[in-house]
C-alpha cells in the first residue's frame, strides 16, 4: 500500500500537468480528484481507468483479481478494434468467492489462474489487475506476479490500481506507471529508424487509428507503438526507441509521455486528430519534431503537400452539408471528443454551438474554444441530468453530441443524438473522420422519425387545448422551476 | 439424476454471471419512486449502471455510497448515512434499496444496525423506506440478489398478520351480500416473479390475472419502470413499478404465486409474516405449466376460463405442431442461471430437442435436479464454449456472441445482459403466448441456418455406425 500511495502522490505532483503548475505545493499534494459525494456520485473507479488504458493491447491476457463484479459487469464493453489478436476480448477473472477470502486462498488462486492462462493461451504477457477487495485483504500481487513470471517464463505485470484509490483518470495514470515500471524498455528493437514515433492515448475506437495511419505512411513516418490502440505487447516493450511522440488524450497518459521524455529523451507534443485543423496541426508537429531529432527536412514539404491536398478534399466534401446544417444548434456534452477544432469545423460549415463541456479540456484547449466561440458563456464544466433534460426538451438544441451515459436523456427529450464516446460505431478521426461525423450529424438531425415522435396523438390535441395548459407550460411547471432551486451535482453524469 | 459438476478452474474465463448486487438493484428498480444504492466504492456502481443502461436502453437511477480509501479502513457507516441523506434531499425517493458490495461486506460491518441508527437519528424524515439487501459480489449472482431484495422488502415493509383479518372481513361481507348489490372488491393475488421474466412477461401476466376478475399485485414490477415509455419530465427515481403502499398491503392477498425456484424464499417469508399461502411455479412456459396456472386462477376467482385464453392455448398447440418439425433431434446448448436454465431446457426438450450442454452459475439451487440434461457444469462461458461444440443452437445472454462467432453456431439471446439487440424486454417468454413466440423465434433461427443438402451431408447419414 505504501508504494502505491507514493505512486499516487507522484502522479499528483506531475509537473507536465498544467493544472498542477497553477497550484501551490500543498494543493498539489491533495491530489486532483475531488472526493465523491455519497449518494450523488458518478464515474468509474481507478481500476476501470487502468483497464480502459491497457486492455486494448490486443495480444495480452488481462486477468482481473477480485470478486466477480469488477470484471463480470464490465467485460467486452468497448469499441476499440484489433487488426489481429482477439485475446484482449477474452475475459479472465479469479472470481473470488467468500471461501477464498475467508480461507486466505486468494493469492494461491491467483497463481493457479496464471498457470491456467499460460497453459491454455500462451500469451506474450499477462496483466494482473488489483481490485478493492484484494487490496483490502492485503494480497501481495506484486510478489505473486514475480513468482509466476519466473516459474512460467513470461512477463506477468501487476497493475496496482484498486478502485477505491480514486477516479478513472487516476487509474489511467497508474496504468501508464505500470507500463513504465514493467514493460517499456524491456525489449530492444533491432529496426530503429529516423522516422519512428509513438502515439500515446489513441484507443483505436471503431478503428479510427486506421484512418490516421495511412496519412503517416504517406509521410514516411513509422509508428513504433500506438499505445494502447491496436497495440501488441512487443511494440509497447520496444517503444522507448521512438524518436518523438504525440500525446492524444492529454489527461490520460501525460505522465507516461513526460517520463518517456525524461528517461529516453523522446520529445512529445499534445495534439488531437479530431477536426480538420487539428489533424493538420498534429501532422505538422510530428514532422517538425522528427526533423529536430535529425530526420531529413524534406518531410516538412511532404507534410505541407499532404495537408493541402487532404484539407481541400475534406472541405469540398463538407460543402454538401452546409445548406443542410446551416444554423442548426449543437450541444457538445462530452469529456472525450471535445477539441477546439471540432467546434471550429462545425462552425465553419455554419452550425451554431449552443454549449460545449470543457470538463477535461486543458487550459490551452479552453482558450482556443473561447477564441473560436468568441465568448465563454457557452462553455460549461458539466450539467446535471435534469438541467440537460430541460434544456433539450425545450428544444434549445437541434442535436446533442455526447456519450452513452447521457444518450437516453437526449432521446427521452426527443432530441437527435450522436455518440461521440467510446461506444460509437463510426470512426471520426482525421480528415475523413470529420466528414463522417458531419454526415452522421446530418443523418441524425434529418431522420424522419422526429416529427412522428414529437406530435401528440390527433385525439389528444383538441381536449388538450381546452382543458389543460399547453404542454410547454406543463414542462415549465414540472421541470424548469424546481431545477433552479436544485443543488447542481457536478459530475452527476460525468464521463471520459 | 443430473450430475452437477463443480467449478475447478482458478481463472474464470468469460463470466456467465452478473453480480449479486446488480440482481438486487434490478428488483428495487421494480418499485415506484425507488433508487437502488450500492454500498461500496463508486466503480462498482458505474459498471452496473452502464450495463443496465445498455440492456434496458433507458436512464436508470442507481447511486453509490462512494466509499473511498479512508472509508475502507475506518468503516463505511458515515458514507452510508451521508448517501441516504443526500438522496433524500435530492430526489426524495419512496424507497432506497441498499445493495451491499463485496468491498463493504469484506469489512463485515453491521449494516442493519447502522441503518437503524441513521433512521432513528433522522426520525423526522419519514416517508422514505430504507431496505437493506446483503449482496456481496463474492457470492451468488442475479437470482440470489433479486430474491434477497424481494425478501428484504417484504420483511421491512409488509404489514404483519393481515391475512387473518382480511379473511374474517371477507366472510362477513360474503354472508350479507344480496343479489343486485355492489360486487365485491376483486380478490387480490400477490405475484412474485423471478428476475428472468421480461417486461412483456409481467404485462401479459397481469392481463391474464385481470381477465379472471382478480387484482394482481406484482412485486417487483419492472413493467411500470423500465418498459420503454417516454416520461414527460425528468425523473431522478423510478417512474413506475409496485407502490410502497401495495407492498405494505401484500398481506391482504388471498394467494401468493411465485415464479421460479429462487422466489420460494420471499414467498415463504410472506406466508410466515402474513399467513398468505403460496404456490410456486418453477416455470410458466410450456402447455402443462400454463394449464396449471390458468386452472388455479379459475379456481381462485370462480370465473370460467375466458374464450380469449382458450384461443391462445389453441394457437400454442398449433405452433407446437408446426414447430416440432424444426426442433426434433436438435442439439441445444444453454448457459443461464438455474431457474432460467430450467425454463429453457424444459421448453426445448418439450419440443423433441436435446440438451447437449448446460452451464449454470451455482450448484445450490434445488431446481437443477429437475433440468432435463445429463449433466450440468457450474462455470462460465469459457466452459460453455468447450462443451457446446457440435450444438445446433447456443442459448445464453449477449456475452455468448464471442463463442457463437468462434464456433460458428447461431445464438439465441436470453436473459441479462442483452446489450446488442433491441427489444429484449418486449419479448414474451411465458404463458401460452410466450411459449408460442419462443417456438417461432427458435424455429426461425433453425430455418435461417439450414444448410442446403450436399452429397457429403447425405453421405453422413449412410454411415451406419450409430444405427444400433
Ligand atoms: S470500485 Fe473496486 S470493487 Fe468496485 S469495480 Fe472498482 S475495483 Fe472493483
Amino acid at each position: 500500500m505504501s508504494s502505491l500511495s507514493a505512486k499516487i502522490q507522484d502522479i499528483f505532483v506531475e509537473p507536465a500537468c498544467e493544472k498542477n503548475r497553477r497550484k501551490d505545493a500543498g494543493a498539489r499534494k491533495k491530489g486532483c480528484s475531488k472526493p465523491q459525494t455519497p449518494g450523488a456520485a458518478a464515474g468509474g473507479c481507478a481500476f476501470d481507468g487502468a483497464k480502459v488504458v491497457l486492455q486494448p493491447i490486443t495480444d495480452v491476457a488481462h486477468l482481473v483479481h477480485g470478486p466477480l463484479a469488477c470484471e463480470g459487469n464490465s467485460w467486452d464493453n468497448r469499441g476499440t478494434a484489433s487488426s489481429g489478436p482477439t485475446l484482449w476480448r477474452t475475459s479472465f477473472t479469479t472470481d473470488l468467492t467468500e471461501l477464498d477470502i475467508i480461507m486466505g486462498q486468494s493469492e494461491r488462486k491467483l497463481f493457479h489462474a496464471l498457470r491456467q492462462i499460460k497453459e491454455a493461451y500462451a500469451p506474450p504477457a499477462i496483466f494482473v489487475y488489483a481490485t478493492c477487495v484484494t487490496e483490502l485483504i492485503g494480497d501481495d500481487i506484486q510478489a505473486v506476479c514475480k513468482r509466476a513470471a519466473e516459474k512460467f517464463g513470461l512477463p506477468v505485470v501487476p497493475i496496482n490500481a484498486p478502485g477505491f484509490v480514486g477516479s478513472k483518470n487516476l487509474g489511467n495514470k497508474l496504468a501508464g506507471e505500470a507500463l513504465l515500471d514493467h514493460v517499456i524498455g524491456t525489449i530492444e528493437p533491432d529496426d530503429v529508424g529516423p522516422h519512428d514515433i509513438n502515439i500515446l492515448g489513441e484507443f483505436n475506437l471503431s478503428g479510427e487509428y486506421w484512418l490516421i495511419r495511412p496519412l503517416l505512411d504517406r509521410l514516411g513516418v513509422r509508428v513504433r507503438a500506438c499505445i494502447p490502440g491496436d497495440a501488441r505487447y512487443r511494440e509497447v516493450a520496444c517503444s522507448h526507441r521512438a524518436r518523438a511522440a504525440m500525446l492524444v488524450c492529454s489527461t490520460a497518459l501525460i505522465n507516461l509521455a513526460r517520463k518517456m521524455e525524461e528517461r529516453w529523451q523522446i520529445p512529445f507534443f499534445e495534439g488531437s486528430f479530431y477536426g480538420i485543423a487539428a489533424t493538420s496541426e498534429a501532422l505538422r508537429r510530428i514532422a517538425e519534431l522528427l526533423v529536430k531529432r535529425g530526420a531529413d527536412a524534406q518531410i516538412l514539404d511532404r507534410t505541407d503537400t499532404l495537408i493541402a491536398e487532404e484539407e481541400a478534399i475534406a472541405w469540398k466534401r463538407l460543402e454538401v452539408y452546409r445548406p443542410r446544417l446551416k444554423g442548426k444548434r449543437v450541444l457538445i456534452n462530452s469529456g472525450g471528443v471535445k477539441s477546439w477544432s471540432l467546434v471550429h469545423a462545425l462552425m465553419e460549415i455554419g452550425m451554431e454551438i449552443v454549449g460545449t463541456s470543457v470538463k477535461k479540456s486543458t487550459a490551452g484547449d479552453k482558450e482556443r474554444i473561447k477564441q473560436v466561440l468568441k465568448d465563454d458563456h457557452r462553455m460549461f464544466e458539466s450539467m446535471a441530468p435534469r438541467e440537460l433534460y430541460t434544456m433539450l426538451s425545450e428544444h434549445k438544441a437541434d442535436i446533442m453530441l455526447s456519450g452513452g451515459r447521457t444518450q437516453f436523456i437526449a432521446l427521452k427529450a426527443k432530441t437527435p443524438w450522436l455518440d461521440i464516446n467510446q461506444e460509437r460505431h463510426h470512426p471520426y478521426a482525421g480528415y475523413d473522420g470529420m466528414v463522417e461525423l458531419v454526415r452522421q450529424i446530418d443523418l441524425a438531425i434529418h431522420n424522419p422519425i422526429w416529427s412522428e415522435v414529437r406530435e401528440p396523438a390527433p385525439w389528444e390535441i383538441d381536449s388538450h387545448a381546452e382543458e389543460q395548459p399547453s404542454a410547454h407550460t406543463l414542462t415549465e411547471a414540472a421541470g424548469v422551476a424546481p431545477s433552479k432551486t436544485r443543488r447542481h451535482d457536478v459530475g452527476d453524469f460525468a464521463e471520459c | 439424476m443430473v450430475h452437477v459438476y463443480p467449478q475447478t478452474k482458478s481463472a474464470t474465463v468469460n463470466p456467465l454471471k452478473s453480480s449479486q448486487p446488480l440482481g438486487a438493484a434490478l428488483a428495487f428498480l421494480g418499485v415506484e419512486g425507488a433508487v437502488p444504492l450500492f454500498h461500496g466504492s463508486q466503480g462498482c456502481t458505474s459498471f452496473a449502471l452502464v450495463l443496465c443502461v445498455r440492456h434496458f436502453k433507458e436512464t436508470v437511477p442507481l447511486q453509490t455510497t462512494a466509499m473511498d480509501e479512508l472509508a475502507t479502513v475506518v468503516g463505511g457507516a458515515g458514507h452510508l448515512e451521508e448517501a441516504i441523506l443526500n438522496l433524500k434531499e435530492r430526489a426524495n425517493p419512496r424507497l432506497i434499496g441498499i445493495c451491499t458490495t463485496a468491498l463493504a461486506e469484506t469489512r463485515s460491518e453491521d449494516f442493519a444496525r447502522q441503518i437503524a441508527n441513521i433512521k432513528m437519528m433522522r426520525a423526522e424524515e419519514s416517508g422514505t423506506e430504507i431496505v437493506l439487501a446483503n449482496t456481496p459480489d463474492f457470492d451468488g449472482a442475479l437470482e440470489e440478489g433479486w430474491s434477497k431484495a424481494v425478501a428484504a422488502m417484504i420483511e421491512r415493509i409488509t404489514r404483519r398478520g393481515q391475512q387473518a383479518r382480511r379473511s374474517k372481513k371477507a366472510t362477513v361481507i360474503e354472508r350479507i351480500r344480496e343479489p343486485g348489490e355492489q360486487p365485491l372488491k376483486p380478490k387480490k393475488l400477490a405475484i412474485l416473479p423471478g428476475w428472468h421474466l421480461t417486461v412483456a412477461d409481467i404485462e401479459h401476466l397481469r392481463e391474464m390475472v385481470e381477465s379472471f376478475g382478480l387484482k394482481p399485485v406484482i412485486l417487483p414490477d419492472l413493467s411500470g419502470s423500465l418498459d420503454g415509455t417516454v416520461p414527460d419530465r425528468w425523473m431522478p427515481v423510478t417512474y413506475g413499478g409496485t407502490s410502497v403502499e401495495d407492498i405494505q398491503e401484500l398481506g391482504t392477498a388471498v394467494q401468493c404465486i411465485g415464479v421460479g425456484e429462487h422466489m420460494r424464499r420471499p414467498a415463504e417469508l410472506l406466508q410466515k409474516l402474513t399467513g398468505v399461502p403460496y404456490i410456486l411455479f418453477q416455470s410458466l412456459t410450456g402447455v402443462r405449466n400454463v394449464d396449471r396456472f390458468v386452472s388455479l386462477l379459475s379456481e381462485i376467482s370462480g370465473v370460467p376460463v375466458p374464450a380469449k385464453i382458450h384461443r391462445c392455448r389453441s394457437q400454442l398447440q398449433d405452433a407446437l405442431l408446426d414447430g416440432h418439425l424444426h426442433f426434433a433431434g436438435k442439439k441445444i446448448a444453454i448457459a443461464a442461471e438455474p431457474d432460467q436454465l430450467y425454463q429453457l431446457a424444459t421448453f426445448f426438450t418439450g419440443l423433441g430437442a436435446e440438451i447437449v450442454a448446460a452451464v449454470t452459475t451455482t450448484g445450490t439451487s434445488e431446481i437443477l435436479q429437475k433440468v432435463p440434461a445429463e449433466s450440468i457444469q457450474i462455470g462460465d462461458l469459457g466452459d460453455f464454449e468447450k462443451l457446446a461444440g457440435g450444438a445446433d443452437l447456443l442459448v445464453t445472454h449477449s456475452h455468448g456472441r464471442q463463442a457463437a462467432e468462434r464456433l460458428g453456431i447461431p445464438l439465441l439471446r436470453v436473459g441479462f445482459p442483452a446489450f446488442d439487440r433491441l427489444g429484449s424486454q418486449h419479448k414474451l417468454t411465458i404463458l401460452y403466448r410466450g411459449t408460442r413466440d419462443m417456438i417461432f423465434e427458435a424455429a426461425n433461427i433453425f430455418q435461417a441456418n439450414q444448410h442446403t443438402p450436399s452429397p457429403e451431408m447425405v453421405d453422413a447419414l449412410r454411415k451406419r455406425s450409430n444405427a444400433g
Side-chain angles (χ1 to χ4, degrees):
Chain A
M1 197 70 201
S2 63
S3 78
L4 177 57
S5 341
K7 256 283 101 95
I8 293 171
Q9 270 310 316
D10 184 39
I11 290 170
F12 286 161
V13 297
E14 172 60 52
C17 171
E18 53 166 315
K19 279 198 180 141
N20 265 338
R21 275 184 251 135
R22 279 177 278 133
K23 293 183 194 163
D24 62 29
R28 266 184 227 166
K29 275 220 181 89
K30 281 195 197 119
C32 347
S33 36
K34 288 164 244 138
Q36 290 272 0
T37 317
C45 60
F47 156 71
D48 188 0
K51 195 156 159 252
V52 166
V53 165
L54 297 175
Q55 200 195 14
I57 304 178
T58 54
D59 53 355
V60 166
H62 301 270
L63 171 62
V64 178
H65 185 41
L68 180 84
C70 313
E71 176 68 358
N73 290 348
S74 72
W75 65 287
D76 199 11
N77 68 349
R78 302 215 161 237
T80 58
S82 164
S83 58
T86 55
L87 191 58
W88 67 288
R89 273 185 75 198
T90 301
S91 158
F92 298 103
T93 171
T94 49
D95 185 8
L96 295 181
T97 61
E98 190 163 15
L99 205 66
D100 294 328
I101 293 170
I102 294 171
M103 306 294 284
Q105 287 169 348
S106 57
E107 286 184 3
R108 240 185 51 206
K109 193 169 191 187
L110 172 59
F111 188 78
H112 288 304
L114 289 166
R115 182 203 302 275
Q116 182 192 325
I117 293 170
K118 156 77 185 169
E119 281 169 3
Y121 301 89
I126 305 176
F127 287 5
V128 178
Y129 298 77
T131 61
C132 292
V133 170
T134 54
E135 188 66 20
L136 183 64
I137 60 179
D139 274 7
D140 191 346
I141 293 177
Q142 190 117 10
V144 177
C145 287
K146 196 152 167 267
R147 205 150 51 83
E150 283 159 13
K151 182 105 196 225
F152 309 134
L154 85 168
V156 181
V157 179
I159 312 294
N160 202 5
F164 61 66
V165 299
S167 66
K168 211 160 149 179
N169 190 265
L170 178 64
N172 295 156
K173 297 195 164 112
L174 287 170
E177 294 291 323
L179 291 181
L180 284 164
D181 288 350
H182 301 281
V183 183
I184 298 172
T186 54
I187 300 179
E188 273 309 323
D190 50 11
D191 58 345
V192 289
H195 298 116
D196 291 2
I197 64 162
N198 291 334
I199 298 180
L200 307 177
E202 165 58 49
F203 291 81
N204 197 28
L205 295 169
S206 297
E208 60 189 13
Y209 167 55
W210 301 324
L211 284 176
I212 302 302
R213 191 134 180 194
L215 300 172
L216 298 171
D217 285 346
R218 273 167 66 190
L219 297 177
V221 171
R222 180 174 58 178
V223 180
R224 176 97 265 150
C226 172
I227 301 177
D230 198 18
R232 310 289 183 273
Y233 181 77
R234 195 190 149 79
E235 292 169 0
V236 181
C238 293
S239 62
H240 61 301
R241 292 300 177 219
R243 290 305 181 90
M246 169 175 171
L247 175 60
V248 177
C249 182
S250 59
T251 54
L253 286 174
I254 186 148
N255 55 329
L256 181 64
R258 193 189 54 77
K259 288 188 177 165
M260 287 184 80
E261 181 171 38
E262 198 175 275
R263 274 189 217 173
W264 296 290
Q265 293 74 51
I266 306 172
F268 73 96
F269 71 97
E270 289 176 36
S272 162
F273 289 121
Y274 294 119
I276 292 170
T279 305
S280 299
E281 189 180 293
L283 294 175
R284 220 172 253 132
R285 294 198 60 184
I286 290 172
E288 283 165 9
L289 270 187
L290 285 173
V291 171
K292 248 192 227 157
R293 296 285 327 270
D296 192 332
Q298 268 189 354
I299 192 175
L300 295 174
D301 294 338
R302 280 208 301 276
T303 310
D304 283 337
T305 316
L306 176 117
I307 288 173
E309 261 175 51
E310 290 289 328
E311 283 201 356
I313 296 171
W315 286 119
K316 188 155 168 260
R317 288 174 66 198
L318 284 175
E319 254 333 284
V320 187
Y321 299 100
R322 187 186 297 275
R324 297 174 58 83
L325 295 177
K326 195 167 174 347
K328 295 281 187 241
R329 297 154 308 161
V330 190
L331 175 66
I332 304 174
N333 184 29
S334 156
V337 185
K338 61 196 175 303
S339 85
W340 58 272
S341 112
L342 174 69
V343 172
H344 169 79
L346 294 181
M347 288 178 71
E348 196 66 24
I349 58 163
M351 300 190 79
E352 188 191 328
I353 311 291
V354 291
T356 179
S357 65
V358 290
K359 191 161 180 242
K360 297 204 175 152
S361 303
T362 60
D365 217 18
K366 280 188 204 165
E367 198 41 54
R368 294 174 94 160
I369 294 175
K370 216 188 280 182
Q371 275 171 20
V372 182
L373 282 176
K374 303 213 169 54
D375 74 66
D376 54 5
H377 295 326
R378 282 171 280 172
M379 303 194 324
F380 59 91
E381 279 287 317
S382 69
M383 235 190 250
R386 189 197 296 260
E387 220 181 321
L388 202 56
Y389 181 80
T390 308
M391 175 172 178
L392 295 174
S393 56
E394 289 172 357
H395 303 301
K396 290 189 177 151
D398 295 304
I399 186 167
M400 178 163 89
L401 310 183
S402 77
R405 272 165 192 267
T406 45
Q407 168 176 4
F408 296 99
I409 298 181
L411 295 181
K412 296 282 168 185
K414 301 177 181 177
T415 301
W417 171 82
L418 189 65
D419 195 348
I420 55 171
N421 269 13
Q422 332 104 11
E423 282 174 29
R424 61 177 183 261
H425 297 292
H426 308 278
Y428 296 142
Y431 304 107
D432 302 314
M434 187 64 210
V435 178
E436 179 61 18
L437 175 67
V438 172
R439 188 176 87 92
Q440 292 297 334
I441 291 177
D442 179 45
L443 286 171
I445 290 182
H446 292 110
N447 195 297
I449 65 150
W450 295 115
S451 57
E452 292 188 10
V453 297
R454 284 175 187 152
E455 270 162 28
W459 57 88
E460 277 176 354
I461 297 172
D462 294 345
S463 60
H464 220 80
E466 282 160 26
E467 293 163 21
Q468 292 175 346
S470 76
H472 187 71
T473 351
L474 267 183
T475 329
E476 288 259 316
V480 184
S483 85
K484 280 188 186 133
T485 52
R486 180 173 173 262
R487 210 180 82 225
H488 294 161
D489 305 295
V490 177
D492 254 9
F493 267 73
E495 48 196 292
C496 170
Chain B
M1 170 101 187
V2 187
H3 198 98
V4 181
Y5 292 101
Q7 180 59 269
T8 50
K9 292 184 304 186
S10 291
T12 290
V13 181
N14 296 340
L16 170 62
K17 278 190 272 186
S18 290
S19 75
Q20 188 176 209
L22 182 51
L26 288 178
F28 289 130
L29 287 172
V31 175
E32 189 172 3
V35 185
L37 173 67
F38 274 28
H39 186 25
S41 194
Q42 68 180 83
C44 314
T45 316
S46 166
F47 284 147
L49 179 67
V50 169
L51 198 58
C52 283
V53 169
R54 286 174 80 202
H55 175 84
F56 288 106
K57 321 254 184 282
E58 301 277 335
T59 56
V60 174
L62 192 63
Q63 259 305 330
T64 171
T65 58
M67 279 173 72
D68 54 15
E69 199 167 353
L70 188 65
T72 61
V73 182
V74 302
H79 280 247
L80 183 57
E81 171 161 8
E82 206 183 315
I84 291 173
L85 298 180
N86 274 334
L87 272 182
K88 180 85 192 161
E89 186 196 317
R90 287 172 62 228
N92 195 23
R94 287 291 280 125
L95 180 139
I96 297 176
I98 300 166
C99 324
T100 58
T101 67
L103 178 64
E105 289 279 348
T106 307
R107 290 190 38 88
S108 30
E109 291 180 56
D110 186 352
F111 302 111
R113 208 199 56 228
Q114 289 173 6
I115 292 167
N117 284 345
I118 294 167
K119 278 191 117 174
M120 269 177 350
M121 279 191 300
R122 314 276 165 168
E124 72 277 11
E125 282 165 336
S126 52
T128 300
E129 293 286 347
I130 298 176
V131 176
L132 168 76
N134 288 94
T135 49
D137 310 87
F138 47 67
D139 209 10
L142 293 181
E143 270 193 6
E144 290 85 348
W146 173 280
S147 154
K148 279 184 189 172
V150 175
M153 286 191 272
I154 292 172
E155 170 91 52
R156 180 112 224 148
I157 303 174
T158 304
R159 294 210 182 101
R160 310 299 201 248
Q162 292 204 340
Q163 171 67 17
R165 260 180 288 152
R166 188 216 59 83
S167 47
K168 242 185 254 157
K169 243 196 275 170
T171 16
V172 173
I173 295 170
E174 256 160 48
R175 213 174 291 136
I176 57 170
R177 189 169 163 240
E178 301 282 331
E181 241 182 341
Q182 282 281 311
L184 286 172
K185 260 177 129 187
K187 283 186 186 167
K188 200 156 91 181
L189 217 55
I191 299 181
L192 308 178
W195 72 271
H196 55 302
L197 269 57
T198 64
V199 162
D201 286 338
I202 304 279
E203 271 170 0
H204 190 42
L205 196 58
R206 174 181 295 115
E207 278 165 24
M208 165 88 88
V209 173
E210 281 171 350
S211 67
F212 283 89
L214 298 165
K215 179 180 184 298
V217 175
I218 303 176
L219 173 71
D221 179 6
L222 289 179
S223 76
S225 49
L226 293 169
D227 63 339
T229 52
V230 186
D232 57 2
R233 62 201 177 88
W234 176 252
M235 299 290 284
V237 297
T238 52
Y239 54 79
T242 326
S243 71
V244 167
E245 288 70 28
D246 276 343
I247 307 177
Q248 284 166 350
E249 298 298 325
L250 271 184
T252 58
V254 292
Q255 176 74 50
C256 165
I257 292 173
V259 186
E261 183 62 36
H262 67 288
M263 298 317 282
R264 188 180 295 278
R265 224 181 91 198
E268 248 164 22
L269 180 70
L270 183 66
Q271 180 168 15
K272 197 181 101 202
L273 297 180
T274 65
V276 177
Y278 79 90
I279 293 177
L280 194 82
F281 283 83
Q282 286 164 329
S283 165
L284 277 183
T285 305
V287 179
R288 284 215 189 81
N289 291 327
V290 189
D291 280 354
R292 197 159 71 87
F293 181 66
V294 170
S295 310
L296 178 73
L297 294 181
S298 175
E299 194 187 307
I300 294 174
S301 62
V303 172
V305 176
K308 201 175 74 184
I309 291 174
H310 203 83
R311 228 178 115 72
C312 283
R313 188 174 190 274
S314 344
Q315 284 180 356
L316 170 56
Q317 287 175 322
D318 195 48
L320 286 166
L321 290 171
D322 297 340
H324 83 286
L325 301 172
H326 298 282
F327 282 71
K330 286 285 188 312
K331 299 193 185 75
I332 313 293
I334 309 175
E337 294 203 23
D339 277 317
Q340 194 168 36
L341 174 64
Y342 172 75
Q343 174 202 13
L344 293 165
T346 47
F347 165 75
F348 279 105
T349 52
L351 277 131
E354 175 197 359
I355 309 301
V356 292
V359 179
T360 194
T361 49
T362 171
T364 54
S365 173
E366 305 259 320
I367 198 72
L368 293 181
Q369 280 309 321
K370 291 196 178 174
V371 172
E374 251 169 48
S375 64
I376 299 173
Q377 174 72 49
I378 318 276
D380 50 42
L381 292 174
D383 299 314
F384 183 57
E385 194 170 332
K386 269 191 204 130
L387 295 169
D392 296 300
L393 181 69
L394 305 186
V395 184
T396 187
H397 53 62
S398 282
H399 276 306
R401 61 184 179 175
Q402 287 191 39
E405 218 173 277
R406 279 189 287 262
L407 295 172
I409 301 172
L411 170 67
L412 171 64
R413 285 161 175 81
V414 294
F416 183 95
F419 49 74
D420 59 348
R421 287 294 182 273
L422 292 183
S424 57
Q425 283 305 309
H426 292 296
K427 280 208 283 194
L428 270 180
T429 70
I430 59 161
L431 304 184
Y432 297 127
R433 204 179 286 163
T435 313
R436 181 197 71 183
D437 287 2
M438 273 174 47
I439 294 174
F440 292 158
E441 192 182 5
N444 288 341
I445 296 179
F446 292 137
Q447 291 183 81
N449 289 278
Q450 227 160 30
H451 303 286
T452 41
S454 66
E456 294 75 38
M457 256 172 68
V458 176
D459 210 35
L461 300 180
R462 293 181 51 245
K463 292 198 185 102
R464 288 153 197 236
S465 56
N466 49 8

